[in-house]
Structure formats: structure tokens, C-alpha cells
PDB file of all heavy atoms in Angstrom:
ATOM      1  N   ASP O   1      18.446  28.399 -13.417  1.00  0.00           N
ATOM      2  CA  ASP O   1      17.709  29.669 -13.320  1.00  0.00           C
ATOM      3  C   ASP O   1      16.552  29.514 -12.397  1.00  0.00           C
ATOM      4  O   ASP O   1      15.547  28.993 -12.703  1.00  0.00           O
ATOM      5  CB  ASP O   1      17.196  30.005 -14.798  1.00  0.00           C
ATOM      6  CG  ASP O   1      16.436  31.311 -14.832  1.00  0.00           C
ATOM      7  OD1 ASP O   1      16.395  32.023 -13.798  1.00  0.00           O
ATOM      8  OD2 ASP O   1      15.818  31.654 -15.851  1.00  0.00           O
ATOM      9  N   PRO O   2      16.707  30.121 -11.229  1.00  0.00           N
ATOM     10  CA  PRO O   2      15.676  30.013 -10.133  1.00  0.00           C
ATOM     11  C   PRO O   2      14.394  30.790 -10.529  1.00  0.00           C
ATOM     12  O   PRO O   2      13.359  30.479  -9.904  1.00  0.00           O
ATOM     13  CB  PRO O   2      16.253  30.689  -8.884  1.00  0.00           C
ATOM     14  CG  PRO O   2      17.389  31.546  -9.412  1.00  0.00           C
ATOM     15  CD  PRO O   2      17.866  30.958 -10.666  1.00  0.00           C
ATOM     16  N   LYS O   3      14.494  31.613 -11.522  1.00  0.00           N
ATOM     17  CA  LYS O   3      13.273  32.244 -11.968  1.00  0.00           C
ATOM     18  C   LYS O   3      12.674  31.741 -13.206  1.00  0.00           C
ATOM     19  O   LYS O   3      11.728  32.338 -13.759  1.00  0.00           O
ATOM     20  CB  LYS O   3      13.610  33.803 -12.235  1.00  0.00           C
ATOM     21  CG  LYS O   3      14.013  34.578 -11.001  1.00  0.00           C
ATOM     22  CD  LYS O   3      14.415  36.008 -11.412  1.00  0.00           C
ATOM     23  CE  LYS O   3      14.951  36.658 -10.161  1.00  0.00           C
ATOM     24  NZ  LYS O   3      15.372  38.061 -10.541  1.00  0.00           N
ATOM     25  N   GLY O   4      13.148  30.627 -13.651  1.00  0.00           N
ATOM     26  CA  GLY O   4      12.732  30.054 -14.891  1.00  0.00           C
ATOM     27  C   GLY O   4      11.467  29.282 -14.725  1.00  0.00           C
ATOM     28  O   GLY O   4      10.642  29.429 -13.773  1.00  0.00           O
ATOM     29  N   PHE O   5      11.153  28.405 -15.724  1.00  0.00           N
ATOM     30  CA  PHE O   5       9.985  27.612 -15.690  1.00  0.00           C
ATOM     31  C   PHE O   5      10.012  26.585 -14.603  1.00  0.00           C
ATOM     32  O   PHE O   5      11.078  25.962 -14.382  1.00  0.00           O
ATOM     33  CB  PHE O   5       9.837  26.873 -17.041  1.00  0.00           C
ATOM     34  CG  PHE O   5       9.382  27.752 -18.204  1.00  0.00           C
ATOM     35  CD1 PHE O   5      10.301  28.464 -18.905  1.00  0.00           C
ATOM     36  CD2 PHE O   5       8.016  27.774 -18.537  1.00  0.00           C
ATOM     37  CE1 PHE O   5       9.895  29.267 -19.924  1.00  0.00           C
ATOM     38  CE2 PHE O   5       7.632  28.559 -19.573  1.00  0.00           C
ATOM     39  CZ  PHE O   5       8.526  29.271 -20.369  1.00  0.00           C
ATOM     40  N   ASN O   6       8.933  26.505 -13.849  1.00  0.00           N
ATOM     41  CA  ASN O   6       8.807  25.357 -12.879  1.00  0.00           C
ATOM     42  C   ASN O   6       7.282  25.053 -12.826  1.00  0.00           C
ATOM     43  O   ASN O   6       6.438  25.881 -13.203  1.00  0.00           O
ATOM     44  CB  ASN O   6       9.345  25.750 -11.620  1.00  0.00           C
ATOM     45  CG  ASN O   6       8.525  26.759 -10.782  1.00  0.00           C
ATOM     46  OD1 ASN O   6       7.513  27.178 -11.215  1.00  0.00           O
ATOM     47  ND2 ASN O   6       9.108  27.266  -9.643  1.00  0.00           N
ATOM     48  N   SER O   7       6.980  23.900 -12.334  1.00  0.00           N
ATOM     49  CA  SER O   7       5.565  23.432 -12.180  1.00  0.00           C
ATOM     50  C   SER O   7       5.465  22.732 -10.839  1.00  0.00           C
ATOM     51  O   SER O   7       6.496  22.089 -10.359  1.00  0.00           O
ATOM     52  CB  SER O   7       5.186  22.441 -13.300  1.00  0.00           C
ATOM     53  OG  SER O   7       5.240  23.168 -14.563  1.00  0.00           O
ATOM     54  N   PRO O   8       4.329  22.827 -10.235  1.00  0.00           N
ATOM     55  CA  PRO O   8       4.152  22.167  -8.870  1.00  0.00           C
ATOM     56  C   PRO O   8       4.274  20.678  -8.949  1.00  0.00           C
ATOM     57  O   PRO O   8       3.765  19.990  -9.801  1.00  0.00           O
ATOM     58  CB  PRO O   8       2.727  22.565  -8.442  1.00  0.00           C
ATOM     59  CG  PRO O   8       2.403  23.731  -9.386  1.00  0.00           C
ATOM     60  CD  PRO O   8       3.165  23.505 -10.610  1.00  0.00           C
ATOM     61  N   LEU O   9       4.958  20.147  -7.946  1.00  0.00           N
ATOM     62  CA  LEU O   9       5.169  18.664  -7.728  1.00  0.00           C
ATOM     63  C   LEU O   9       4.006  18.169  -6.936  1.00  0.00           C
ATOM     64  O   LEU O   9       3.547  18.836  -5.938  1.00  0.00           O
ATOM     65  CB  LEU O   9       6.456  18.447  -6.928  1.00  0.00           C
ATOM     66  CG  LEU O   9       6.778  17.054  -6.651  1.00  0.00           C
ATOM     67  CD1 LEU O   9       7.162  16.318  -7.953  1.00  0.00           C
ATOM     68  CD2 LEU O   9       7.950  16.982  -5.588  1.00  0.00           C
ATOM     69  N   VAL O  10       3.513  16.968  -7.356  1.00  0.00           N
ATOM     70  CA  VAL O  10       2.402  16.372  -6.625  1.00  0.00           C
ATOM     71  C   VAL O  10       2.892  15.000  -6.185  1.00  0.00           C
ATOM     72  O   VAL O  10       3.305  14.199  -7.052  1.00  0.00           O
ATOM     73  CB  VAL O  10       1.078  16.258  -7.479  1.00  0.00           C
ATOM     74  CG1 VAL O  10      -0.029  15.681  -6.713  1.00  0.00           C
ATOM     75  CG2 VAL O  10       0.713  17.656  -7.991  1.00  0.00           C
ATOM     76  N   ALA O  11       2.891  14.670  -4.921  1.00  0.00           N
ATOM     77  CA  ALA O  11       3.184  13.379  -4.395  1.00  0.00           C
ATOM     78  C   ALA O  11       1.916  12.473  -4.193  1.00  0.00           C
ATOM     79  O   ALA O  11       1.153  12.834  -3.334  1.00  0.00           O
ATOM     80  CB  ALA O  11       4.018  13.485  -3.139  1.00  0.00           C
ATOM     81  N   VAL O  12       1.817  11.467  -5.043  1.00  0.00           N
ATOM     82  CA  VAL O  12       0.606  10.644  -4.909  1.00  0.00           C
ATOM     83  C   VAL O  12       0.961   9.313  -4.319  1.00  0.00           C
ATOM     84  O   VAL O  12       1.896   8.677  -4.743  1.00  0.00           O
ATOM     85  CB  VAL O  12       0.021  10.398  -6.357  1.00  0.00           C
ATOM     86  CG1 VAL O  12      -1.266   9.569  -6.361  1.00  0.00           C
ATOM     87  CG2 VAL O  12      -0.268  11.718  -7.009  1.00  0.00           C
ATOM     88  N   LYS O  13       0.164   8.907  -3.327  1.00  0.00           N
ATOM     89  CA  LYS O  13       0.360   7.615  -2.696  1.00  0.00           C
ATOM     90  C   LYS O  13      -0.195   6.484  -3.512  1.00  0.00           C
ATOM     91  O   LYS O  13      -1.318   6.548  -3.933  1.00  0.00           O
ATOM     92  CB  LYS O  13      -0.243   7.605  -1.299  1.00  0.00           C
ATOM     93  CG  LYS O  13       0.149   6.422  -0.476  1.00  0.00           C
ATOM     94  CD  LYS O  13      -0.403   6.549   0.941  1.00  0.00           C
ATOM     95  CE  LYS O  13       0.035   5.387   1.778  1.00  0.00           C
ATOM     96  NZ  LYS O  13      -0.443   5.519   3.122  1.00  0.00           N
ATOM     97  N   LYS O  14       0.668   5.496  -3.882  1.00  0.00           N
ATOM     98  CA  LYS O  14       0.170   4.416  -4.690  1.00  0.00           C
ATOM     99  C   LYS O  14      -0.385   3.333  -3.740  1.00  0.00           C
ATOM    100  O   LYS O  14      -0.330   3.390  -2.568  1.00  0.00           O
ATOM    101  CB  LYS O  14       1.363   3.764  -5.415  1.00  0.00           C
ATOM    102  CG  LYS O  14       2.014   4.759  -6.371  1.00  0.00           C
ATOM    103  CD  LYS O  14       3.022   4.260  -7.367  1.00  0.00           C
ATOM    104  CE  LYS O  14       4.068   3.333  -6.904  1.00  0.00           C
ATOM    105  NZ  LYS O  14       5.085   3.000  -7.939  1.00  0.00           N
ATOM    106  N   LYS O  15      -1.095   2.340  -4.358  1.00  0.00           N
ATOM    107  CA  LYS O  15      -1.774   1.287  -3.602  1.00  0.00           C
ATOM    108  C   LYS O  15      -0.812   0.500  -2.713  1.00  0.00           C
ATOM    109  O   LYS O  15      -1.192   0.085  -1.643  1.00  0.00           O
ATOM    110  CB  LYS O  15      -2.499   0.288  -4.610  1.00  0.00           C
ATOM    111  CG  LYS O  15      -3.688   0.844  -5.231  1.00  0.00           C
ATOM    112  CD  LYS O  15      -4.331  -0.198  -6.150  1.00  0.00           C
ATOM    113  CE  LYS O  15      -5.525   0.330  -6.847  1.00  0.00           C
ATOM    114  NZ  LYS O  15      -6.172  -0.597  -7.676  1.00  0.00           N
ATOM    115  N   ASP O  16       0.470   0.348  -3.159  1.00  0.00           N
ATOM    116  CA  ASP O  16       1.469  -0.362  -2.390  1.00  0.00           C
ATOM    117  C   ASP O  16       2.070   0.466  -1.260  1.00  0.00           C
ATOM    118  O   ASP O  16       2.897  -0.001  -0.501  1.00  0.00           O
ATOM    119  CB  ASP O  16       2.488  -1.050  -3.238  1.00  0.00           C
ATOM    120  CG  ASP O  16       3.434   0.028  -3.915  1.00  0.00           C
ATOM    121  OD1 ASP O  16       3.191   1.234  -3.653  1.00  0.00           O
ATOM    122  OD2 ASP O  16       4.280  -0.457  -4.658  1.00  0.00           O
ATOM    123  N   GLY O  17       1.570   1.746  -1.126  1.00  0.00           N
ATOM    124  CA  GLY O  17       2.105   2.558  -0.027  1.00  0.00           C
ATOM    125  C   GLY O  17       3.254   3.470  -0.481  1.00  0.00           C
ATOM    126  O   GLY O  17       3.601   4.377   0.225  1.00  0.00           O
ATOM    127  N   SER O  18       3.854   3.207  -1.626  1.00  0.00           N
ATOM    128  CA  SER O  18       5.040   3.979  -2.123  1.00  0.00           C
ATOM    129  C   SER O  18       4.500   5.282  -2.726  1.00  0.00           C
ATOM    130  O   SER O  18       3.290   5.490  -2.815  1.00  0.00           O
ATOM    131  CB  SER O  18       5.849   3.213  -3.169  1.00  0.00           C
ATOM    132  OG  SER O  18       5.110   2.874  -4.301  1.00  0.00           O
ATOM    133  N   ILE O  19       5.396   6.169  -3.040  1.00  0.00           N
ATOM    134  CA  ILE O  19       5.048   7.494  -3.593  1.00  0.00           C
ATOM    135  C   ILE O  19       5.323   7.568  -5.040  1.00  0.00           C
ATOM    136  O   ILE O  19       6.355   7.107  -5.515  1.00  0.00           O
ATOM    137  CB  ILE O  19       5.772   8.581  -2.787  1.00  0.00           C
ATOM    138  CG1 ILE O  19       5.558   8.598  -1.336  1.00  0.00           C
ATOM    139  CG2 ILE O  19       5.550   9.945  -3.332  1.00  0.00           C
ATOM    140  CD1 ILE O  19       4.125   8.797  -0.932  1.00  0.00           C
ATOM    141  N   ARG O  20       4.402   8.171  -5.790  1.00  0.00           N
ATOM    142  CA  ARG O  20       4.574   8.440  -7.218  1.00  0.00           C
ATOM    143  C   ARG O  20       4.662   9.937  -7.376  1.00  0.00           C
ATOM    144  O   ARG O  20       3.879  10.669  -6.886  1.00  0.00           O
ATOM    145  CB  ARG O  20       3.474   7.956  -8.113  1.00  0.00           C
ATOM    146  CG  ARG O  20       3.545   8.408  -9.574  1.00  0.00           C
ATOM    147  CD  ARG O  20       2.410   7.898 -10.430  1.00  0.00           C
ATOM    148  NE  ARG O  20       2.571   6.467 -10.578  1.00  0.00           N
ATOM    149  CZ  ARG O  20       1.640   5.619 -10.253  1.00  0.00           C
ATOM    150  NH1 ARG O  20       0.455   6.040  -9.736  1.00  0.00           N
ATOM    151  NH2 ARG O  20       1.825   4.294 -10.426  1.00  0.00           N
ATOM    152  N   LEU O  21       5.787  10.431  -7.994  1.00  0.00           N
ATOM    153  CA  LEU O  21       5.936  11.855  -8.145  1.00  0.00           C
ATOM    154  C   LEU O  21       5.329  12.325  -9.499  1.00  0.00           C
ATOM    155  O   LEU O  21       5.662  11.711 -10.531  1.00  0.00           O
ATOM    156  CB  LEU O  21       7.458  12.274  -8.134  1.00  0.00           C
ATOM    157  CG  LEU O  21       8.138  12.027  -6.773  1.00  0.00           C
ATOM    158  CD1 LEU O  21       9.562  12.504  -6.840  1.00  0.00           C
ATOM    159  CD2 LEU O  21       7.376  12.728  -5.645  1.00  0.00           C
ATOM    160  N   CYS O  22       4.466  13.213  -9.464  1.00  0.00           N
ATOM    161  CA  CYS O  22       3.824  13.754 -10.647  1.00  0.00           C
ATOM    162  C   CYS O  22       4.064  15.272 -10.761  1.00  0.00           C
ATOM    163  O   CYS O  22       4.382  15.901  -9.663  1.00  0.00           O
ATOM    164  CB  CYS O  22       2.298  13.506 -10.562  1.00  0.00           C
ATOM    165  SG  CYS O  22       1.909  11.728 -10.438  1.00  0.00           S
ATOM    166  N   VAL O  23       3.873  15.816 -11.882  1.00  0.00           N
ATOM    167  CA  VAL O  23       4.072  17.228 -12.081  1.00  0.00           C
ATOM    168  C   VAL O  23       2.789  17.859 -12.647  1.00  0.00           C
ATOM    169  O   VAL O  23       2.175  17.244 -13.622  1.00  0.00           O
ATOM    170  CB  VAL O  23       5.233  17.599 -12.976  1.00  0.00           C
ATOM    171  CG1 VAL O  23       5.360  19.123 -13.112  1.00  0.00           C
ATOM    172  CG2 VAL O  23       6.457  17.029 -12.390  1.00  0.00           C
ATOM    173  N   ASN O  24       2.214  18.886 -12.041  1.00  0.00           N
ATOM    174  CA  ASN O  24       1.040  19.519 -12.512  1.00  0.00           C
ATOM    175  C   ASN O  24       1.400  20.643 -13.460  1.00  0.00           C
ATOM    176  O   ASN O  24       1.856  21.740 -13.071  1.00  0.00           O
ATOM    177  CB  ASN O  24       0.245  20.094 -11.281  1.00  0.00           C
ATOM    178  CG  ASN O  24      -1.064  20.754 -11.761  1.00  0.00           C
ATOM    179  OD1 ASN O  24      -1.357  20.858 -12.885  1.00  0.00           O
ATOM    180  ND2 ASN O  24      -1.816  21.180 -10.803  1.00  0.00           N
ATOM    181  N   PHE O  25       1.248  20.398 -14.853  1.00  0.00           N
ATOM    182  CA  PHE O  25       1.611  21.404 -15.776  1.00  0.00           C
ATOM    183  C   PHE O  25       0.401  22.363 -16.167  1.00  0.00           C
ATOM    184  O   PHE O  25       0.507  23.134 -17.107  1.00  0.00           O
ATOM    185  CB  PHE O  25       2.056  20.674 -17.068  1.00  0.00           C
ATOM    186  CG  PHE O  25       3.394  20.065 -16.890  1.00  0.00           C
ATOM    187  CD1 PHE O  25       3.481  18.603 -16.926  1.00  0.00           C
ATOM    188  CD2 PHE O  25       4.554  20.777 -16.748  1.00  0.00           C
ATOM    189  CE1 PHE O  25       4.752  18.015 -16.811  1.00  0.00           C
ATOM    190  CE2 PHE O  25       5.782  20.144 -16.580  1.00  0.00           C
ATOM    191  CZ  PHE O  25       5.875  18.803 -16.596  1.00  0.00           C
TER     192      PHE O  25
END
């Protein structure tokens, strides 16, 4: 459902340089 619930994705850079995906609820 493209009109359903969604929350913004936040890409956080970790100390080792990789990315952690978080969701802002």
C-alpha cells in the first residue's frame, strides 16, 4: 500500500565507516 504507514529512514555513519539504517518514528 503506497499510501500506508511509512516513517523516514535515517542513514547513520558508524565509527568503522559502515552505515546503520535507523527509522524515525
Side-chain angles (χ1 to χ4, degrees):
D1 180 5
K3 296 179 185 176
F5 284 83
N6 71 7
S7 296
L9 179 70
V10 181
V12 180
K13 189 173 182 179
K14 298 191 313 188
K15 287 182 181 180
D16 67 3
S18 63
I19 300 295
R20 173 180 290 122
L21 297 183
C22 303
V23 180
N24 181 357
F25 292 111

